[in-house]
């Protein structure tokens, strides 16, 4: 009777323990603090650039002067191509391959917790930490931006200024969209993570995948491949800075990331279900 | 054991569903079945387009360019590819157009009194008060506005007659463009016309009688050389806030000089024009425009223009080396008329003789050389 009760541990408690498990790793804390430096460094760099003549840079950097709330969005787009996929890959690598390396995955696999539930808990941990990291960057970015550049509301690329609440909405939208893209990468990383016991392999394979997709996007002969690559949707996310908001590309890239999440989690589930304990 | 098999099967379905989702996303959206619309004659369709009232709408336009011009550094717009723009109008002269670039945007707002041009790349606003300068015209229906003083119906009849003189006009069924039912109006050159164009297709909205898509097709391909069309269209009153523009606090606001080019530049341009003696040869589709460009005048004009632009403080593509560019674009040809460079695109060609004669038209090479031989 007692074992039956133990096997039905409440999901909430399992999720909490997974999060606690991640947060208690010193490298998580160090990594998150390092992520906070990104908006600070970007802000200081732009602050010096704004002092010179002309635009501070291409794209969003051009409208940053007197428009501090653009800094969180600028920083997120800056981190999206490499840094955030790396962050997602690290957590996905720790989740399964890391446990496997320390021999602790074995215990989890033979424990009375279902393997699908184990994958769900691991995915939840990765997803939550990704969302937290993205939100942290945006939050620090907003504060640094407000301090260095000030400004009321958010000047869009289209030339009109959104009031503060709308601006906040745009920042939240960017957080959600960027997080979903990182989830797409992390889901694939989780599938790799289920197949190996070396966390480094997971990170290297994921980053190689991201970089190769980016490089493939440069060849016009491979244009037919574009719609299948998750990285090809990332440039279109800048649409959040246009007004009125064009939703077509945003939906498209989010659906693309959704497909990657589905494929990655399914592959991970397939591998976990057939794994010998 | 059984449960494990179920899990694997479910996961396999998940992988397949995800892959199928990627395939669906990669597929271009279909236009849907052609709607059934009452028959309309080509003449009355053209007339209704020319006399249509401007309507309020907002939408997105896609321009796909397959002209076959080789890529030129500094002039990416001419190269093949697709570009998008978004536009709104209240039907009464107030217009907003946005040209999104990769990570920047240009916005043009005409609020009825003032035109505003915003460029996010350098945070500049160009203010163009009405009636002071020739502002960039963004008429949706230029014929409709121009026909206001004379009787629009008779004028449109005249236009139809002119078109029918050289072309066969027909309605080629119906289609869907941006979710709206359209008639496909096709203009085909008469067989006697010597042109490289095969047909021009205009998709006309069945209700608003607004052209929603224009495609130019050339001989030998099924794919349009140029296609401009709405991908999204919302008809109805638009948010009034779209037609207002306040320059953002940090932006530089420029009001261009009323005079535009200086007197000296104007004289130079006029002199060049008088010397150039532009002429047209032929009629209808195979009309060829010829001119004679004195090489020194061209160089002088380019010089003047360059300094003028710099003085205005605009950023423009780096000065183009004309001779080098021509060599890069065209091929060398010669004949009884002389020798020169021929630049061909899918929609026509330009022949530049070495002595400064120029012929331009939507015609094959032979017609160009015939025309240039007539230039003295």
């Amino acid at each position: 009777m007692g074992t039956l009760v133990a096997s039905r541990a409440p999901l909430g408690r399992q999720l909490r323990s997974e999060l606690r498990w991640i947060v208690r790793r010193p490298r998580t804390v160090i990594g998150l603090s390092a992520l906070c430096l990104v908006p600070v460094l970007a802000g200081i760099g732009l602050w010096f650039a704004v002092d010179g003549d002309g635009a501070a840079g291409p794209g969003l950097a051009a409208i940053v002067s007197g428009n501090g709330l653009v800094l969180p969005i600028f920083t997120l787009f800056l981190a999206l191509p490499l840094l955030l996929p790396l962050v997602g890959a690290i957590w996905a690598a720790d989740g399964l391959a890391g446990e496997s390396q320390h021999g602790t995955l074995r215990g989890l696999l033979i424990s009375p917790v279902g393997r699908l539930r184990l994958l769900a808990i691991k995915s939840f941990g990765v997803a939550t930490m990704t969302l937290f990291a993205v939100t942290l960057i945006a939050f620090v970015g907003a504060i640094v931006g407000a301090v260095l550049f000030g400004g009321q509301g958010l000047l869009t690329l289209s030339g009109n200024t959104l009031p503060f609440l709308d601006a906040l909405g745009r920042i939240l939208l960017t957080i959600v969209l960027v997080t979903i893209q990182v989830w797409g990468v992390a889901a694939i990383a989780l599938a790799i993570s289920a197949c190996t016991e070396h966390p480094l392999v997971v990170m290297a394979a994921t980053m190689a995948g991201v970089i190769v997709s980016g490089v493939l996007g440069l060849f016009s002969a491979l244009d037919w491949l574009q719609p299948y690559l998750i990285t090809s949707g990332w440039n279109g996310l800048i649409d959040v800075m246009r007004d009125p908001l064009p939703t077509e590309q945003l939906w498209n890239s989010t659906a693309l990331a959704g497909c990657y999440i589905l494929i990655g989690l399914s592959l991970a589930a397939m591998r976990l279900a057939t794994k010998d304990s | 054991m059984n449960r494990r098999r179920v899990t694997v099967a479910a996961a396999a379905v998940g992988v397949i569903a995800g892959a199928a989702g990627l395939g669906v996303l990669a597929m271009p959206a279909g236009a849907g079945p052609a709607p059934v619309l009452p028959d309309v004659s080509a003449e009355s369709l053209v007339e209704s387009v020319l006399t249509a009232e401007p309507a309020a709408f907002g939408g997105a336009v896609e321009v796909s360019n397959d002209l076959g011009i080789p890529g030129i550094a500094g002039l990416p717009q001419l190269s093949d590819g697709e570009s998008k723009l978004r536009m709104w109008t209240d039907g009464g002269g107030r217009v907003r157009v946005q040209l999104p670039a990769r990570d920047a945007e240009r916005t043009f707002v005409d609020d009825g009194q003032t035109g505003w041009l915003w460029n996010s790349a350098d945070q500049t606003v160009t203010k163009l008060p009405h009636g002071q300068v020739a502002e960039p015209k963004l008429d949706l229906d230029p014929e409709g506005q121009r026909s206001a003083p004379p009787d629009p119906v008779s004028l449109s009849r005249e236009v139809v007659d002119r078109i029918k003189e050289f072309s066969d006009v027909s309605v080629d069924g119906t289609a869907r463009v941006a979710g709206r039912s359209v008639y496909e109006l096709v203009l085909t050159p008469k067989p006697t016309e010597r042109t490289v164009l095969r047909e021009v297709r205009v998709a006309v909205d069945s209700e608003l009688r607004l052209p929603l898509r224009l495609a130019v097709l050339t001989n030998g391909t099924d794919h349009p050389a140029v296609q401009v069309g709405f991908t999204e269209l919302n008809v109805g009153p638009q948010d009034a806030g779209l037609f207002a523009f306040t320059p953002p606090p940090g932006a530089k606001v420029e009001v261009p000089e009323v005079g535009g080019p200086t007197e000296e530049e104007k004289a130079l341009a006029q002199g060049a024009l008088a010397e150039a003696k532009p002429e047209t040869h032929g009629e209808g589709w195979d009309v060829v425009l010829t001119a004679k460009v004195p090489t020194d005048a061209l160089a002088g004009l380019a010089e003047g223009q360059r300094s003028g632009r710099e003085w205005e403080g605009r950023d423009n593509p780096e000065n183009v080396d004309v001779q080098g560019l021509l060599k890069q674009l065209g091929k060398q040809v010669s004949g009884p008329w002389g020798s020169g460079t021929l630049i061909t695109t899918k929609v026509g060609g330009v022949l530049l003789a070495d002595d400064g004669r120029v012929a331009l038209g939507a015609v094959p090479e032979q017609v160009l050389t015939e025309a240039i031989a007539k230039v003295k």
Side-chain angles (χ1 to χ4, degrees):
Chain A
M1 214 46 206
T3 52
L4 193 69
V5 172
S7 74
R8 293 269 170 243
L11 188 64
R13 208 180 71 197
Q14 289 172 336
L15 296 178
R16 265 205 311 277
S17 89
E18 171 69 17
L19 280 188
R20 202 177 306 134
W21 181 239
I22 297 177
V23 174
R24 272 171 56 184
R25 289 181 199 131
R27 60 176 178 275
T28 307
V29 180
I30 296 170
L32 287 176
S33 331
L35 280 183
C36 293
L37 283 179
V38 177
V40 176
L41 291 177
I44 294 174
L46 285 176
W47 191 64
F48 280 115
V50 163
D51 273 354
D53 296 344
L60 285 182
I63 54 169
V64 79
S65 129
N67 189 23
L69 285 182
V70 82
L71 190 66
I73 297 174
F74 174 84
T75 319
L76 284 184
F77 288 152
L78 188 74
L80 180 58
L82 286 175
L83 196 59
L84 285 173
L86 180 67
V87 169
I90 289 173
W91 283 321
D94 276 343
L96 292 172
E99 299 259 23
S100 198
Q101 190 182 33
H102 293 109
T104 43
L105 188 66
R106 200 185 185 82
L108 291 173
L109 285 179
I110 56 170
S111 74
V113 174
R115 291 183 177 192
L116 274 186
R117 179 177 264 215
L118 174 67
L119 179 64
I121 293 167
K122 289 293 177 191
S123 321
F124 170 81
V126 175
T128 313
M129 291 312 291
T130 306
L131 178 62
F132 181 67
V134 172
T135 314
L136 188 70
I137 293 179
F139 181 71
V140 176
I143 291 178
V144 172
V147 169
L148 288 182
F149 303 103
Q152 272 135 16
L154 175 66
L155 173 65
T156 61
L157 285 177
S158 308
N160 42 349
T161 307
L162 298 174
F164 182 72
L165 277 183
D166 284 1
L168 219 55
R170 290 291 173 105
I171 295 174
L172 286 181
L173 178 66
T174 315
I175 292 176
V176 170
L177 292 170
V178 167
T179 305
I180 292 174
Q181 296 299 321
V182 184
W183 284 352
V185 175
I188 301 294
L190 210 55
I192 304 171
S193 183
C195 299
T196 175
E197 50 185 39
H198 304 289
L200 259 180
V201 171
V202 180
M203 282 183 261
T206 310
M207 291 323 288
V210 170
I211 292 168
V212 167
S213 319
V215 171
L216 288 180
L218 299 178
F219 297 104
S220 55
L222 296 175
D223 272 352
W224 56 272
L225 200 62
Q226 284 290 312
Y228 302 98
L229 300 176
I230 192 168
T231 47
S232 66
W234 292 352
N235 285 330
L237 289 185
I238 199 154
D239 276 1
V240 296
M241 283 300 293
R242 305 188 197 280
D243 189 68
L245 187 69
T247 49
E248 189 196 342
Q249 282 196 94
L250 302 183
W251 278 119
N252 206 19
S253 53
T254 305
L256 186 66
C259 290
Y260 270 79
I261 295 173
L262 186 60
I263 293 174
L265 289 185
S266 301
L267 286 175
M270 214 188 269
R271 178 72 192 115
L272 267 191
T274 52
K275 207 167 195 160
D276 293 325
S277 45
Chain B
M1 198 61 199
N2 199 14
R3 202 175 148 187
R4 178 178 295 188
R5 213 171 277 166
V6 171
T7 309
V8 172
V13 170
V15 173
I16 292 166
L22 287 182
V24 170
L25 284 176
M27 257 192 301
V36 179
L37 296 171
D39 281 342
V40 64
S41 76
E43 289 79 11
S44 63
L45 186 61
V46 175
E47 277 174 27
S48 66
V49 170
L50 297 177
T51 54
E53 294 281 317
F57 66 85
V61 178
E62 191 173 79
V63 181
S64 32
N65 175 350
D66 189 20
L67 289 174
I69 300 176
I72 312 164
L75 288 170
Q77 288 83 0
L78 272 181
S79 323
D80 296 353
E82 288 180 355
S83 47
K84 272 199 172 153
L85 63 94
R86 303 199 290 153
M87 63 179 300
W88 295 261
T89 170
D90 70 346
R94 294 193 297 166
V95 178
R96 180 189 185 93
V97 179
Q98 289 179 202
L99 293 167
R102 210 181 114 95
D103 55 2
E105 188 152 300
R106 284 165 199 267
T107 303
F108 175 79
V109 177
D110 189 337
D111 59 12
Q113 277 92 46
T114 314
W116 301 93
L117 190 64
W118 154 262
N119 183 3
S120 85
D122 49 9
Q123 268 200 309
T124 51
V125 175
T126 313
K127 189 178 171 184
L128 306 156
H130 277 206
Q132 216 181 348
V133 269
E135 64 242 34
K137 276 276 182 197
L138 284 157
D139 291 348
L140 306 170
D141 188 10
E143 276 82 5
Q145 289 194 353
R146 215 180 298 148
S147 63
D151 173 25
V153 177
S154 63
L155 193 95
S156 61
R157 292 254 160 78
E158 210 172 287
V159 173
V160 172
D161 287 344
R162 289 287 297 166
I163 294 172
K164 281 178 74 181
E165 203 177 317
F166 304 105
S167 338
D168 295 321
V169 188
S170 62
V171 178
D172 182 22
T174 60
R176 284 200 165 270
V177 172
R180 294 187 63 89
S181 337
V182 295
Y183 291 106
E184 285 272 21
L185 182 72
V186 182
L187 279 79
T188 319
K190 289 241 159 92
T192 51
E193 302 287 312
R194 296 179 300 171
T195 171
V196 293
L197 303 183
R198 181 156 56 90
E199 59 185 33
V200 174
R201 301 181 76 92
V202 185
V204 178
D205 190 287
S206 59
E207 262 178 68
L208 301 175
R209 298 300 161 102
L210 183 77
L212 295 189
R213 187 175 63 196
L214 174 83
V216 178
L217 289 107
T218 57
N219 289 327
T221 67
D222 279 345
H223 196 71
V226 188
Q227 178 167 304
V228 182
F230 282 93
T231 54
E232 200 188 309
L233 186 69
N234 304 308
V235 177
Q238 303 294 313
D239 181 6
L242 288 170
F243 306 114
F245 188 84
T246 318
K252 296 188 287 287
V253 181
E254 291 173 358
V255 182
E257 291 290 314
V258 183
T262 61
E263 288 303 315
E264 191 192 344
E265 278 168 16
K266 269 189 194 162
L268 202 62
Q270 264 165 6
L273 200 67
E275 245 178 302
K277 285 188 292 187
E279 286 178 81
T280 56
H281 303 263
E283 267 191 316
W285 292 76
D286 52 22
V287 64
V288 175
L289 180 75
T290 59
K292 199 166 161 60
V293 184
T295 34
D296 54 332
L298 186 71
L301 191 64
E303 200 71 42
Q305 215 175 19
R306 205 175 298 150
S307 60
R309 288 241 179 105
E310 261 170 17
W311 175 72
E312 270 177 32
R314 294 229 187 101
D315 65 323
N316 55 322
E318 289 309 306
N319 304 326
V320 189
D321 168 22
V322 178
Q323 289 300 329
L325 199 63
L326 289 182
K327 293 248 155 53
Q328 185 191 340
L329 286 174
K331 63 169 185 180
Q332 295 295 317
V333 286
S334 62
W337 52 272
S339 66
T341 313
L342 176 71
I343 300 169
T344 44
T345 70
K346 283 186 184 158
V347 293
V350 185
L351 181 58
L352 299 116
D354 292 336
D355 55 8
R357 289 174 298 168
V358 181
L360 162 81
V363 292
E365 180 183 344
Q366 193 201 347
V367 185
L368 283 179
T369 53
E370 275 173 26
I372 210 164
K374 290 181 197 156
V375 181
K376 294 289 168 299

